[in-house]
Amino acid sequence: MDKLQQVNKNWIFGAATVALLFILPFVLARFGTTGEFWIWVTTEMIIMALFATSLNLILGFGGMVSFGHAAFFGVGAYTVALLMKKAGVSLILALIAAPCVAGLTAAIIGWFCVRLIGLYFAILTLAFGQLLYMIAFQWYTFTGGDDGIHGIPKPDFLGPTNYYLLCLVVFIACFLVMRMIVNSSFGLSIRLTRENLDRAKFIGINVRRYQLINFIMAGFFAGIAGGLFAELNRFAQTEFLHWSRSGDAIFACLVGGMYSFVGPAIGSSVLIFLHIVLQQIHQSLVEIWAIILGFILLGMVLFAPEGLVGLYGKITRKLKT
Amino acid sequence: MGIEFYLFLLINGLSQGMVLFIVASGLSLVFGVLRVINFAHGSLYMIGAFLAFSLSTLLPAGSIFSFLLLMLLVPLAVALLGLGLEIPLFRRIYGKEHLLQLLLTYALLLILDDACRLIWGGDIRNVARPDLLAGSIKFFDMFLPTYNVFILVVGPLIAVGLWFLLYRTRAGNLIRAAVSHPEMVGALGVNVSRVMTATFMLGCWLAGLGGVLMSALANIDLGIGMEKIIECFAVVVIGGLGSIGGALLGSLILGVGVAFIQLPLSRAAIVFPYFAMALILIIRPWGLFGKPER
Amino acid sequence: MVNTISTYYPVAIEMNPDILKIENLVKSFNGNTVINGISLSIAQGELSAIIGPNGAGKTTTMLSIMGLNRPKSGTITYRGKDITGHAPFKIARAGIGFVPEDRRVFPDLTVLGNLDVGRRTPKNKSKKWTLERIYKLFPRLQEFSHRNAGTLSGGEQQMLTIAGTLMGNPDFLLLDEPSEGLAPIIVKVLGEFIEVIKQEGMTVLLSEQNTKFALKHADRAYIVDNGSIKFEGSIDELEQNAEIKKRYLAV
């Protein structure tokens, strides 16, 4: 009974959050340029929440630390940028193509990476991610190199509010699909490979194939996030592929809680919010952002490896007893 | 382009490879004993390089003694920094989940890299070679850059020194024993934590030494830490994690490979480490000198 | 500085012949109690045997003495000093030597290297066990001194583990199932060796499933089953106790 109540509570809480998120831009729109800025920020939060949740498919649920997830984010972004700017493809088509290209890239990189698990996997994802970054950096004629690709066309109907709503709808759809994946028998098998590799092998799970499929799916959803982000900024640049962006997603998972499904989304929003708050306090704080992040991460690893969601659970349990 | 040119390329590639070996052997050694991949190892190397730069501005330029002093002091400073990281941080995560270990060292990488940016800024820098090592040496009919030849002497010395330490001293026996059964080493009356701290410091010392040598070999900037850690990863994937011999072979393959490919295809050279890595993964996933895990 | 010996080995040494005392040791793994209130006291110079089947708690007791696991409750006193939960290396330095059950040699080190890891001369003491003596006792180890330990046979590895521990010059030796999985002829060599160190006055705690082997060499026996002690007494007392013999020793 308790469990059922918990499930109901989760749905009610989720629905209320979604409703609030739908109303939010209309409220913010009343506050002029400040409001517009915050619409932009919340749009970024939604996109990054999608990116972090996609990473958590492999990180939290698969137990595979990838330091190269930004590669798929970046590939998604460049796909949208190139298709729209150079081929004149419509936004919707470009947004469909982005995850497909990202997923394909993930299939190629993943084929190598899942051959080795644990530490080697982490090493390889970082290396391959960095490889894509350097290719984008060097291949000037195709990717614009250091400058990136600017001036991605923006359809007329897409004001800040409409784009926010588009992102929100895409996010919710992806979020539900990923939730389904995690709770499916496939998702359970993946969790088993994390918890007990030998047992997973013993009961006949083709571990490598499952991990590869999981890796591709994570890349696929990261591609969507990248595509949305390119259109939001109306440019794509090498920084999107950089390892530090992979780091951001890892932080989001760790801060929010990588053993829960909503954790990464929460963590990512909290971090973006924190970044802006610091910016408002003093510009110099933003300059040491990486150091601040690093210390937060250190603290979380040592003292709260289950993240905010885990902390919240601990506190509520303590209050009950 | 005669043989002289190719010899020049070879010397260049080998000296790059030697520096890479010095750094990568530290990473591999630390992994062998502590079972932790230190993502911040490249940052320690970068700190070594920048420290060498800062210190060199205080010392008389051109003197070989200044440079030798750098080689003495900087690695020591980096090792001490390692001591400051090992006791409060690394010690807490030995034997824990890989995930947490990786995240911890990754957090360190962020902090150290950003600290470097704050301290030294984004400028490209280098350390002037001492006069004695600045020119070239006549080798039969060819002139070879003295500094590269110097590195080709230092690198093998370090390799032999490491080998001697690991295989011919009691400290080496303790380190290698701790690789297989750390708890048994403890039961024999050895303070294993101290062995681990010492090994970590030695790894950091090697990173620092690599940094000093590189600071006068090529330009240094804020990207070199990341660049080197990825090269190190390629080296350990090729050579096998935890193997010093593998690190040497992997480093030389990478150094020479990049030097020669750079010539016809300058852009493809950056892809070479990945290509070599992918190839090894297909034919021998645990590396040339490594042992398959489980 | 003059006091070092007396602070390290308190007066208790004269008053109490028990070198090691375990009181009410309890240890559980994941909620399963493995040892449930074991108490032992081992007199200086005696060879005591813990006898019992697999899973009775013999190894767990040894690991607790050595500090390699942390008991839930209970105290372990060595020469009057509480060593419960101390770091293994400190316990080793206090004079306890441990030979684990699975012949834990360092496989990538040579035989000589293995002995070198164990080498330690306690302060204020003469060096009883030198490389020469070890080699005299185990001639094969000298023969193979430059071979990697991983290439030795099971019996040779067992001898090497014991030899490595002796190199630390302990005065109290824990031998965890030394005869397990060894060929009868090697077990005989092992027995001879045990008699030699007994002659030396070494205090030994031996854990065994091999009852015959244990009874042959022990002065005193503890029979454990299901984590607690079912019998304790001298070998003569055990010989006279038909019920215990029938029930636990299947004699």
Side-chain angles (χ1 to χ4, degrees), chain A residues 2 4 6 16 21-22 49 64 76 126 131 138 154 177 179 217 243 245 256-257 260 271 275 288 294 301 317 320:
Chain A
D2 242 17
L4 203 67
Q6 186 62 40
L21 284 173
F22 270 108
M64 302 150 77
L126 179 74
L131 171 67
Q138 302 259 338
K154 189 174 88 175
V177 171
R179 217 184 116 97
M217 287 193 302
W243 58 271
R245 189 166 289 276
S260 87
L271 285 175
H275 186 254
I288 56 165
V301 168
R317 247 174 286 139
K320 266 184 194 164

Side-chain angles (χ1 to χ4, degrees), chain A residues 108-132:
Chain A
I108 298 167
I109 293 180
W111 189 83
F112 287 105
C113 295
V114 300
R115 296 171 74 84
L116 293 168
I117 46 169
L119 295 171
Y120 274 106
F121 178 83
I123 291 176
L124 287 178
T125 48
L126 179 74
F128 279 109
Q130 204 59 6
L131 171 67
L132 284 192

Side-chain angles (χ1 to χ4, degrees), chain B residues 52-71:
Chain B
F53 165 76
S54 287
L55 203 56
S56 73
T57 57
L58 305 174
L59 296 169
S63 157
I64 183 73
F65 294 109
S66 300
F67 195 72
L68 291 177
L69 200 62
L70 291 183
M71 286 178 63

Side-chain angles (χ1 to χ4, degrees), chain C residues 136-209:
Chain C
K136 214 173 220 170
L137 211 55
F138 307 108
R140 301 222 78 170
L141 295 184
Q142 180 164 28
E143 196 180 318
F144 295 150
S145 64
H146 290 288
R147 270 224 223 154
N148 273 7
T151 64
L152 300 183
S153 72
E156 288 155 359
Q157 290 194 3
Q158 181 67 71
M159 298 306 166
L160 179 57
T161 319
I162 296 174
T165 305
L166 285 181
M167 287 295 281
N169 290 293
D171 23 56
F172 175 40
L173 192 63
L174 300 169
L175 285 173
D176 196 4
E177 306 216 16
S179 76
E180 193 196 14
L182 295 184
I185 183 152
I186 312 274
V187 174
K188 210 176 139 224
V189 174
L190 187 73
E192 284 161 12
F193 158 75
I194 287 179
E195 290 303 324
V196 170
I197 54 170
K198 253 175 88 176
Q199 296 293 309
E200 297 270 336
M202 176 89 81
T203 315
V204 181
L205 180 60
L206 169 75
S207 110
E208 265 303 336
Q209 286 187 65

